[in-house]
Amino acid sequence: MSVARYSAAYSSSAPADEQVIILGDSPSELKRPLLSADSTPGLSKRPRAEPPYQPLSQAFLPPQRNLLGSLDNASPEELAARLQALRCVRIDRAAAAALSDAQLLEHRSQLLAARAFISDVICAAVEAAPSTGGGSSASASRSIPQPVAGLIACREQIVRALSFISSTSFQRGMSLDVDDGLLWQSVLGNTPEDDWTESALSSPSSAPSMETSAHTFTSTEELVQFRRSDFSWTTRLGLVLRDVFGLREFRKNQFEAINATLSGRDVFVLMPTGGGKSLCYQAPALCGEGTTVVVSPLLSLIQDQVSSLQRLRIPALFLIGSMTSESRTFVTRELSSGRVKLLYCTPEMITSSSFLGEILLSLYKRNLLARFVIDEAHCVSQWGHDFRPDYKNLQLRSRFPSVPLLALTATATKLVLSDVKTQLNLNLKAVTLTSSFNRTNLDYSVVAKPRRAADSMQEVYNIIRQSFAGKSGIVYCLSKRECETLAEFLVKQRISAAAYHAGMPSDERSAIQSGWMAKRYQVICATIAFGMGIDMPDVRFVIHHTLPKSLEGYYQETGRAGRDGLPSKCILFYSLADSNKLRSLMINSPDQPLSPEQREVANSLLLQVVDFCEDRSACRRSRILAYFDQTFDAAECQKTCDNCRSTETFVTIDLTEVAVTVLSTVRANPGKFTIIQLASEVSKQQGGPSSITRNEYERLICRMIFLDALSEQTKSNFRRPSHAPPSSYLYSGPKARLLEQKQLPIVLNMPSRSARGRRS
Ligand SMILES: Nc1ncnc2c1ncn2[C@@H]1O[C@H](COP(=O)(O)OP(=O)(O)OP(=O)(O)O)[C@@H](O)[C@H]1O
């Protein structure tokens, strides 16, 4: 498309006095001016000479077609007609208060579409214009011809109107699409003015309430090259950011990641939950040739992502096993045409579908594979908390050696990170970008879980009623049954709650998920099947009614709170009984028998969670960040965790010798005691005023089981009623001898009253 054609089209459509956008998408809307002072309160009067109204879709958003692509074949007449449909909106702030919520949202979506269209015209013109040297976005934009430059003014007015509508919606507490950068800005109180040139590209902003950049593995000097604004794609990238995604600035590391992948480098991005990883591959996909293939672990996640992208008019498709042959043919045709910018699929499809294999090979041979994205890349490593064997067998590097890889995750320790790089065969010079995992707006606390189920459900209810009335939240439960019982309980207490778990039909699950996102349900009682990829901004609390299986999982699950950057709470219910139950479920599950190595990993991940819960001294935030090998000064916690708020003193005590005594009681009575019986037996034996309490003995015994100094075996108890669960009895464990030789230290964090003389 030549600039001359744009210029001609623009000139023929430029109205005499002022421009106004005509918005409307249905025949009935065409009959009345949607944005006129006469019919719509809050909007200025229309100019005198009006072009005929056209539906928005006909005017410049042809259905089923990609907006960015649709311009290429447009004739000057078509363009003129589309441009004629663009006129400018002015909003009278006082009168806008009278707009209904529905009208506001409607205006907003139409403004978004209009903004995208104008920018596309500008972008095409800028690309076609002769470069004035330097290649920066500012210099490129200066070179565009006058008539097209006139559109920029129009665009700026639209952007201001959009910003106004977004902030009005926010003030009214309305839920907008979360991906709206303008909304973020209004939340953060930044300037509503839209300077859409270099500043956005050169000065990345932080994600709300997320500290950034604890350490990077790629040196700062090396990163400088990816902060430049003179790449051939820089102008396009700025426009894509603003006009396709509706965002104003990049967050920390997004710009570098995008430039690195567009430069053909392998990239590893470690960014906290809600940090904005998707943009790191979605934006580059729209800035270069070919198709970006995204490997993502969950079908529901894939479907959600693709429909959000399609709503933004981005040509994205997915390929999944259960598709009809017609759908497959459609996908193949679209892919072959080179129109598809993003193709999502599961790792299983990559490893086992010959159909997909052929498509990828054909794209590869035609140089149309832009990059592979491995989302949730921690699944590649068996050291991660969510290992998926198919992720390990992708073989992308060997099958498509010249295609750059981009791996992203929110959760990876150093060990997992280096394992992922090795498994994926990332180039040794892969650009590695990490951000601090600190979510400063989240408040962490651990509470003692009452023994009786009814009491602990009541406690959940009390917390929600007292602190989160009318606020959205998630309660994570261990089992399907627990989700259902808790949801029923809350509903009886007049809290709108729903259960969500993998045992439910998928349409029921999506209905519940969308009901929650639309605020029809306040609380979701869910297993960890719920949450991945859910981008709800104002989740004010995440309660773990049972223990998470790992600190990584905990971080990820709590990370669903406060994605809008506002204060939110993460409350973990902890009991010894739960930790034991979870341990034996994980380790002895008949459905999923574990290899000895997997058992070891699962055991140690859970033990870290138990340690985290039982530690009443250390700052929770520092502990979480330490897990990800990041240092955090507890003084900066500012009492945003229960331990930093606590006035009680706890100390870490070495109980190795006491543990040896406990072990000797078990050796003398193998299979005689359950945990509770042994705790009361040894506490009786010890006696005395400075003794360890029975509860603390219970903790010690559980710790000895975790460390394999003791082991449990389940036996039926014929004297108990038939419905009673079988009891587990204690024996010496495989590491008992190590303990006796004092080579297995056992320490516990305890209130200082028990510390007398035993502080470690
Ligand atoms: N540069 C930006 N400016 C403002 N908002 C942004 C920016 N980048 C991303 N966001 C928004 O942040 C939110 C989270 O982004 P995204 O879903 O990509 O996070 P994520 O890192 O993939 O999180 P998770 O690991 O939890 O899936 C989205 O609503 C997204 O639109």
Side-chain angles (χ1 to χ4, degrees), residues 177-182 184-185 205-208 241 245-252 254 271-282 301 305 375-376 409-410 531-535 537 556 559-560 563:
D177 290 347
V178 196
D179 51 40
D180 189 352
L182 294 165
W184 281 107
Q185 297 306 317
S205 72
S206 305
L241 175 76
F245 293 100
L247 301 172
R248 295 168 65 90
E249 293 173 306
F250 289 108
R251 289 178 177 170
K252 180 79 185 175
Q254 285 180 327
M271 215 180 246
T273 49
K277 288 181 285 301
S278 321
L279 193 75
C280 299
Y281 57 86
Q282 289 171 350
L301 190 60
Q305 289 239 7
D375 201 9
E376 310 289 351
T409 176
M532 204 187 256
I534 288 179
D535 192 16
Q556 203 156 55
R560 282 152 203 156
R563 286 163 79 96

Side-chain angles (χ1 to χ4, degrees), residues 742-760:
K742 312 275 170 60
Q743 286 174 24
L744 191 68
I746 299 192
V747 292
L748 288 184
N749 190 254
M750 297 164 83
S752 61
R753 64 171 172 72
S754 340
R756 272 167 258 177
R758 290 196 205 89
R759 195 187 268 261
S760 69

Side-chain angles (χ1 to χ4, degrees), residues 284-436:
L286 302 183
C287 290
E289 292 298 310
T291 304
T292 291
V293 179
V294 185
V295 183
S296 178
L298 285 182
L299 279 185
S300 57
L301 190 60
I302 289 178
Q303 284 161 339
D304 284 353
Q305 289 239 7
V306 169
S307 30
S308 323
L309 290 169
Q310 288 176 348
R311 274 200 298 278
L312 295 176
R313 312 243 163 200
I314 294 171
L317 290 174
F318 59 75
L319 200 57
I320 54 176
S322 57
M323 281 165 97
T324 60
S325 65
E326 287 86 38
S327 306
R328 281 174 179 232
T329 314
F330 172 77
V331 174
T332 320
R333 202 181 54 230
E334 289 297 301
L335 279 168
S336 316
S337 76
R339 279 192 292 268
V340 179
K341 300 312 285 177
L342 285 139
L343 175 73
Y344 281 73
C345 50
T346 57
E348 291 76 14
M349 281 300 281
I350 299 258
T351 51
S352 53
S353 162
S354 54
F355 170 73
L356 177 59
E358 278 162 30
I359 294 183
L360 294 179
L361 199 60
S362 130
L363 288 175
Y364 182 61
K365 285 185 184 152
R366 289 182 295 141
N367 242 347
L368 283 175
L369 269 185
R371 68 189 53 77
F372 281 105
V373 174
I374 300 93
D375 201 9
E376 310 289 351
H378 58 275
C379 298
V380 173
S381 168
Q382 58 179 332
W383 304 110
H385 71 289
D386 206 3
F387 172 55
R388 299 269 296 261
D390 278 297
Y391 257 94
K392 201 171 167 176
N393 298 328
L394 293 171
Q395 309 291 352
L396 296 172
R397 179 60 11 111
S398 55
R399 287 162 69 193
F400 311 99
S402 61
V403 179
L405 301 179
L406 167 55
L408 307 105
T409 176
T411 53
T413 58
K414 271 189 190 152
L415 179 69
V416 172
L417 187 143
S418 81
D419 192 34
V420 170
K421 283 179 163 180
T422 315
Q423 300 295 343
L424 290 176
N425 210 346
L426 288 197
N427 190 294
L428 286 179
K429 288 198 168 163
V431 176
T432 305
L433 297 154
T434 69
S435 306
S436 167

Side-chain angles (χ1 to χ4, degrees), residues 640-654:
T640 53
C641 80
D642 55 347
N643 284 354
C644 289
R645 277 191 295 269
S646 168
T647 49
E648 284 180 80
T649 319
F650 286 78
V651 284
T652 301
I653 303 171
D654 187 336

Side-chain angles (χ1 to χ4, degrees), residues 613-667:
C613 295
E614 295 200 344
D615 186 345
R616 303 285 307 278
S617 321
C619 167
R620 302 271 180 218
R621 201 175 288 286
S622 337
R623 284 209 61 146
I624 295 172
L625 293 174
Y627 179 82
F628 294 109
D629 306 309
Q630 300 191 342
T631 42
F632 176 78
D633 180 359
E636 286 172 30
C637 175
Q638 308 283 356
K639 303 199 172 176
T640 53
C641 80
D642 55 347
N643 284 354
C644 289
R645 277 191 295 269
S646 168
T647 49
E648 284 180 80
T649 319
F650 286 78
V651 284
T652 301
I653 303 171
D654 187 336
L655 290 176
T656 313
E657 292 204 5
V658 185
V660 173
T661 321
V662 172
L663 175 61
S664 63
T665 308
V666 174
R667 281 220 195 267

